Amino acid sequence: MQNKWDERFYQLAETVASWSKDKTKVGCALISPDRTQVSYGYNGFPRGIKDDERITAENKNQLIIHAEINAILNAKVNLTGWTLYCTKFPCIECAKAIIQSHFKRIVVKRRLESSWADSQQLAYDLIKESKIIISEV
């Protein structure tokens, strides 16, 4: 970690991850450049969607909103120059939203998950190409 603020905000992302009902608990915290504004998100279903018998192992991943997207949607402000802290490395879909939102830096675990490794590797390459700084924990 680069500094005490990175440690604190990464811990915030870990706390947010614990709020997820999903077995793959992922949390994300977005922090403004002056550290006065925060947005967060965790992986879960869209608001108002019940986790019931309609949700199967086969369709769950199609219905879940990833932590990074939830945090971006919750922010409702321009995120240019902000830092994103996430407990898992983003997939390609989240990476595209991160790039499009003009983040300056992301702080993540570089460890790639087996079922998502291909998507995460593509995301890593795209984020690097976009010149967003990747800090690994």
Side-chain angles (χ1 to χ4, degrees):
M1 295 250 188
Q2 290 194 356
N3 60 46
K4 69 179 181 179
W5 289 108
D6 281 349
E7 290 176 28
R8 290 172 180 165
F9 292 130
Y10 190 81
Q11 287 173 357
L12 175 60
E14 288 179 326
T15 297
V16 171
S18 73
W19 302 342
S20 174
K21 292 180 184 177
D22 190 61
K23 68 179 182 179
T24 307
K25 296 183 176 299
V26 182
C28 182
L30 312 180
I31 311 300
S32 66
D34 64 0
R35 298 187 302 267
T36 61
Q37 295 178 331
V38 176
S39 180
Y40 57 83
Y42 53 85
N43 59 324
F45 296 115
R47 286 188 181 109
I49 303 302
K50 291 183 175 38
D51 183 1
D52 58 23
E53 65 278 352
R54 297 171 301 148
I55 311 302
T56 65
E58 292 78 32
N59 70 3
K60 183 186 82 155
N61 282 339
Q62 294 175 317
L63 300 174
I64 283 186
I65 298 176
H66 289 187
E68 302 93 323
I69 301 299
N70 260 332
I72 290 168
L73 292 172
N74 289 338
K76 297 183 179 25
V77 297
N78 183 337
L79 299 170
T80 299
W82 285 43
T83 300
L84 179 146
Y85 296 82
C86 197
T87 59
K88 302 264 187 208
F89 200 86
C91 70
I92 189 60
E93 291 303 317
C94 292
K96 291 187 287 186
I98 290 165
I99 293 165
Q100 206 65 4
S101 298
H102 303 284
F103 282 92
K104 178 180 181 180
R105 188 165 77 99
I106 65 171
V107 179
V108 293
K109 286 190 177 181
R110 177 69 170 103
R111 192 173 335 128
L112 304 181
E113 303 298 321
S114 58
S115 63
W116 291 90
D118 291 343
S119 179
Q120 290 171 315
Q121 184 60 55
L122 188 56
Y124 179 85
D125 295 342
L126 209 63
I127 291 168
K128 288 295 267 187
E129 183 178 339
S130 75
K131 307 282 192 264
I132 294 174
I133 298 164
I134 299 174
S135 298
E136 299 174 6
V137 295

